Amino acid sequence: MRNIKRIFIHCTASSRKTSIEQLLAEFKSRGWHAPGYHYVAMPDGRMVKLLDEEKVSNGVRGYNQSAINIVYVGGIDAKGRPTDNRTIEQKAAIVHLLIELRSRYPNALIMGHRDIWGANNPKAWQKACPCFNATREYGAI
């Protein structure tokens, strides 16, 4: 059993029309043997499981052995700029999943991908992902 220390929230940094098949093809094109995420929140609120929690995904380099990775489809505007464009359904699905995960991993930190470089230091972020302050938003879970 893996020792889960962090639950990372991500965005796909893609159109909200991106499909699961397109995500899987992207991972394959990168040469990854495992998907980047355990769970994907689709715009309609469906939560798609890509990988069992006991398996290691490719979400945050250097932290994957002890992490669960969740992504929402979206995160950029029509011009490709980072933006929080989660649907109401995605927000609800993520909260529901985080409550479930919290029951299994009570000591895990819930944080955005960018927070690994410093939650309050945008100049240190290597990515804007997930395009909102996940640490603050999910702090009460």
Side-chain angles (χ1 to χ4, degrees), residues 5 12 17-18 25 35 38 48 50 55 66 70 72 80 85 91 105 112-113 124 128 132:
K5 296 179 182 176
T12 58
K17 295 179 181 178
T18 300
H38 292 88
V48 178
L50 294 184
K55 296 186 177 176
S66 60
I70 302 167
Y72 72 93
N85 59 2
K91 289 178 181 183
Y105 312 108
H113 184 173
F132 69 96

Side-chain angles (χ1 to χ4, degrees), residues 44-110:
D44 65 2
R46 283 181 303 123
M47 189 63 74
V48 178
K49 185 175 184 179
L50 294 184
L51 192 64
D52 287 336
E53 292 171 19
E54 281 304 309
K55 296 186 177 176
V56 177
S57 65
N58 286 308
V60 181
R61 185 179 305 187
Y63 296 88
N64 294 317
Q65 292 292 330
S66 60
I68 300 292
N69 289 288
I70 302 167
V71 70
Y72 72 93
V73 174
I76 59 171
D77 66 16
K79 294 184 179 183
R81 294 176 300 217
T83 190
D84 178 10
N85 59 2
R86 292 171 293 157
T87 64
I88 293 167
E89 294 85 358
Q90 283 173 312
K91 289 178 181 183
I94 293 169
V95 167
H96 179 76
L97 177 60
L98 288 173
I99 290 168
E100 285 183 26
L101 293 173
R102 174 63 75 211
S103 71
R104 291 195 289 279
Y105 312 108
N107 297 317
L109 298 173
I110 298 172

Side-chain angles (χ1 to χ4, degrees), residues 11-27 29-30 37 39-48 50 71-77 80 85 87 90:
C11 67
T12 58
S14 66
S15 163
R16 289 194 292 183
K17 295 179 181 178
T18 300
S19 69
I20 295 297
E21 292 75 20
Q22 288 170 308
L23 284 175
L24 293 173
E26 179 185 341
F27 304 143
S29 74
R30 291 180 183 197
Y37 318 107
Y39 298 96
V40 180
M42 302 301 291
D44 65 2
R46 283 181 303 123
M47 189 63 74
V48 178
L50 294 184
V71 70
Y72 72 93
V73 174
I76 59 171
D77 66 16
N85 59 2
T87 64
Q90 283 173 312

